[in-house]
Amino acid sequence: MGRGRQKAKQTKVARELKYSSYEPNYRALEQELTSGGRRSDLATESRQASGTPEDADDYADWSAEDR
């Protein structure tokens, strides 16, 4: 998309946000805030699950060789 079309689209979205009136969903906001900060992030959870102690030993061996 060209710069002119992109800017026009951004301007349109900005105007809609500025001039439209909407009712916020306070119930959804309350649930999000009271969830204890626990967010389900699959990428983070899978990274934590894949980090085994064997991997840490390999990295320790490599750093010992560099010294």
Side-chain angles (χ1 to χ4, degrees):
M1 188 166 18
R3 176 67 182 133
R5 291 180 63 196
Q6 183 180 8
K7 185 167 176 29
K9 185 175 182 179
Q10 289 173 349
T11 303
K12 178 183 175 186
V13 170
R15 283 190 182 133
E16 287 176 1
L17 289 173
K18 183 176 180 180
Y19 296 115
S20 66
S21 62
Y22 66 94
E23 185 64 31
N25 188 348
Y26 293 114
R27 183 175 303 272
L29 178 62
E30 180 183 10
Q31 288 175 351
E32 183 177 338
L33 293 175
T34 59
S35 67
R38 175 79 175 125
R39 299 176 68 185
S40 70
D41 185 6
L42 296 177
T44 304
E45 290 173 2
S46 65
R47 260 188 267 129
Q48 289 173 349
S50 67
T52 60
E54 296 141 5
D55 292 340
D57 291 339
D58 291 340
Y59 293 125
D61 292 341
W62 289 338
S63 63
E65 290 174 6
D66 291 340
R67 293 183 191 165

